[in-house]
Amino acid sequence: MRHRSLHKAFLAAALFGSMQAESVRAESGYEAWLRYAPVEQAARERYASLPASVVVLGDSAVLAAAQREMIRGVQGMLGKTLRTDKGQPLGRSIVLGTFESIHAVAPDFHARDLREDGFWLTTAEVQGLRCLVIAAPTERGVLYGVFAFLSKIARNESIAALDEVQQPYAPIRWADQWDNLDGRIERGYGGPSIFFDNGTVRADLSRVADYARLLASVGINGCAINNVNADPRALEDSFLPQLVRIADVFRPWGVRISLAVDLSSPQLIGGLDTFDPLDPRVGEWWRKKVDEIYQRIPDFGGFVVKADSEGRMGPSTYGRTPADAANVIAQALQPHGGVVFYRAFVYNHHLDWREPKNDRAKAAYDNFHPLDGKFADNVILQIKYGPIDFQVREPVSPLFGGLEKTNQAIELQVTQEYTGQQRHLCFLPPMWKEMLDFDLHAANYATRVKDLVSGKTFHRPTGGFVGVVNVGMDANWLGHPLAMANLYGFGRLAWDPNLSAQTIAEEWTQLTFGNDPAVRRTIEDMQLASWRIYESYTGPLGAQTLTDILGSHYGPGIESSENNGWGQWHRADHQGIGMDRSVATGTGYVGQYRAPVAKMFESVESTPDDLLLFFHHVPYTHGLHSGKTVIQYIYDSHYEGAERVADYVRKWKSLKGYVDEERYAAVLARLEYQAGHAIVWRDAICNWFLRTSGIPDAKGRVGNYPGRIEAEAMHLRGYVPVDVVPWENASGGQAVECSQRQGCSASLQFAGAAGSYEIDVQYFDQNNGESKFRISVGDHLVDEWVANDHLPATKIGGDSSTRRRITGLALRPGDEIRIEGIPDREEHAPLDYIEIRPSEE
Ligand code: GCW
């Protein structure tokens, strides 16, 4: 309900939007980068000559959307209401149309040779009138041109003498959503599904329309709407009318829908006794199914397939190959122009970890390289950027360089599964750029990943970019107002991978927060540094994200990757760390790269530091190129990382009053939380490596926490000490819990000098209870709060550990500091420690 009313409020604001200064407009983040906020007075002159009417040549849904968007944008930003004319301009106008339709009214207008979805912004004579023309080979291109034009105004760029051509790098620019039909989203961190609820498609699809608009605005032209761990019901005949509704809502924005399908559907819902791709009845079943879909959804995009992976059924059941499976479906889709995205994320998750040659990283290449050339032309192999699984740092997958006769798409993750789940700031375009620009030496000229996936290198008919997005019902779509930069960045890079991360950060910040130079600089700097900062306290030197891989993929869980079949091993023991993947002494994974790349990764010396532990097992005392030992690097980077996150908070606070209150507060809350959680990560990893290696931190920080008092060392009333598992996820390996309904307390006598202090209370916030906390000094209540966040945790540990900071507290020696906790349901008002330190100011 809350979201719907927010949405209404937003619509009302868009319709009756006043021209108030930006800083006072309350903003939920729902509008993302399409705010169309009033242009600053100084820049408004620049647009004085904008024509007063907009003419659209044609009357399709896409063109109508383009025209409406133009009106909406100009109204919001310039406060002018454009006249709308049809058929031909009656005065100087903005003319929107395909090349063909423009040529019909302006015979002197000559089309440019553009790829599908490209556009041309220019000025031309139309019926004797000098008009601003947005033209394209296709209607979708016209829509993209309108968005590009409006973006220029929002960023205060000149539109005088416009003559600009843009065209996409690749035809495939898709968003995937991992939405389940029950409304939950696998690895979604921005609320429940905008498509489904309780087994059906939602009655109100207004957010779907707004999502499609956001996607279109950055050139994304397709969306797979359901989880790749597919529910076969989505393919049932009775479900089709519901899919039709979603397709209808997407269509005006030029976004085609596709479906993730379960390969065993012919058996599960089709009544056959087999799903063997080579059984003619199975082929026939797919053909019929596909025909039915296209009858109702003529622009249907195709299917996404996850098979023989993480327990999904697949062709291996019948001894068939992925090519056999993909091709039978592709054949059914081919007459309709549909495609199959076959995911290369196929691996054995029951690997024997005791066998040193086993290596999950080898799986994609081993499974798919031998099939190069065996896939139909409307099959696209969808390949995750790295050989493991969306880690904070991985080398680029060698499979991109191992396919010459197969279409491919790179799969990136906008949803921050392993990169902080939208609670930690992590702007991913800098990482994606490294991947896309990497030269895999697949030929004797540069073969960068962006050229391999877009099909340029080996002249493939199709290919491109897929982003797993997972927006949800949260007002700001992804949960963190700054996280939408990743969706924006994905779209922009899919359109043009030659853009720099810096340009993308700049564009997004201007569109999202306006053109104030101080605001821009602060946010851009934070965004651009954030991936490396996140990496620095969660996954050092290519060891991958040291998170709980068996659970939430969120907090620290250093040993969770070891001694099990999942194959995300880092092999840290008391002497060293890293996976030896060399050909000479390791798993041989390095041999999957072409010679020049393999040569670089084969030796410790030539492997870049930030991937060292991905490729090699080294002692903790190993000296890096930077001159540090591995162990000291681990300590230093975690301390620096946590410190830099603390700095985000300071930087963000400098923007108070320059950013609207609502988003200011929402971002601040996330950053403060992150600053606390970065310390949880820092301490867990540093302490674990200290105990495991036995090598102390040269700077003496690890294990020494000035001002920290463990809850279990305080004077406890009702609270009982408990061991935390794994031990490194709580300070001192222990916490205290309260199981008395009326509450418990932990207290101490302050022993420092009189002065102003800040206190951090480290507690645990589970999602199965809402404990209350109160902190008093003497009889004076200084703070109270409810632990009601929705962290991915039902127990105390690294996922739930949370910090509350109380600042500017006057303390005198002998003061009693008392924390009271009142448990709720399964959450026992758990406390880890408090830290008292002199005030920062
Ligand atoms: O990263 C893993 C996720 C799974 C996901 C899988 C995949 C949809 O943890 O939740 O399943 O990848 O990409 O198929």
Side-chain angles (χ1 to χ4, degrees), residues 74-206:
V74 169
Q75 185 153 51
M77 293 188 287
L78 303 173
K80 286 188 188 172
T81 307
L82 294 174
R83 271 176 60 95
T84 56
D85 293 318
K86 267 216 170 133
Q88 51 179 310
L90 303 173
R92 270 190 67 243
S93 300
I94 306 170
V95 177
L96 313 178
T98 58
F99 287 150
E100 211 181 331
S101 64
I102 293 177
H103 190 69
V105 293
D108 288 344
F109 182 87
H110 293 293
R112 304 276 298 254
D113 185 19
L114 292 186
R115 282 193 288 278
E116 195 181 347
D117 293 348
F119 57 84
W120 185 19
L121 310 178
T122 189
T123 318
E125 291 286 319
V126 181
Q127 315 225 311
L129 298 159
R130 200 97 201 112
C131 290
L132 202 156
V133 174
I134 299 183
T138 62
E139 294 175 345
R140 188 155 48 202
V142 177
L143 177 65
Y144 292 166
V146 167
F147 279 116
F149 177 78
L150 293 171
S151 167
K152 284 180 189 296
I153 300 182
R155 291 178 292 112
N156 293 355
E157 270 183 22
S158 165
I159 54 163
L162 256 193
D163 186 19
E164 182 175 319
V165 160
Q166 281 195 36
Q167 44 188 344
Y169 211 73
I172 298 293
R173 304 179 305 279
W174 279 70
D176 279 9
Q177 289 275 143
W178 288 349
D179 297 31
N180 296 317
L181 304 192
D182 65 6
R184 287 173 308 148
I185 304 181
E186 182 153 348
R187 314 296 175 191
Y189 313 106
S193 173
I194 62 171
F195 299 108
F196 309 109
D197 183 28
N198 202 11
T200 56
V201 169
R202 282 182 184 277
D204 177 359
L205 293 180
S206 49

Side-chain angles (χ1 to χ4, degrees), residues 178 186-187 227-229 306 309-310 343 345 347 360 384 388-391 411 413 417-418 468 549 551 553 568:
W178 288 349
E186 182 153 348
R187 314 296 175 191
N227 191 353
V228 289
N229 291 324
K306 173 177 181 178
S309 167
E310 301 186 332
R343 297 179 83 233
F345 187 61
Y347 69 102
R360 167 171 163 185
K384 292 192 185 190
I388 300 288
D389 191 5
F390 299 134
Q391 300 300 297
E411 184 177 305
Q413 223 187 18
E417 175 181 355
Y418 281 96
V468 180
I549 72 137
H553 301 181
Q568 291 186 221

Side-chain angles (χ1 to χ4, degrees), residues 17 94 131 173 177 186 212 214 247 319 367 387 431 499 545 560 566 580 586 593 630 649 696 718 723 767 805 816 832:
I94 306 170
C131 290
R173 304 179 305 279
Q177 289 275 143
E186 182 153 348
L214 284 172
N367 284 314
M431 169 168 86
L499 289 172
T545 319
S560 66
W566 289 97
D580 182 356
Y593 292 98
V630 166
V649 175
D723 290 335
N767 59 21
R805 172 163 285 185
E816 187 199 46
D832 191 358

Side-chain angles (χ1 to χ4, degrees), residues 272 274 276-287 320 328:
L272 300 184
T274 178
D276 179 353
L278 297 192
D279 186 310
R281 290 170 302 154
V282 169
E284 183 56 17
W285 187 86
W286 283 109
R287 197 185 57 73
R320 311 297 186 201
V328 71

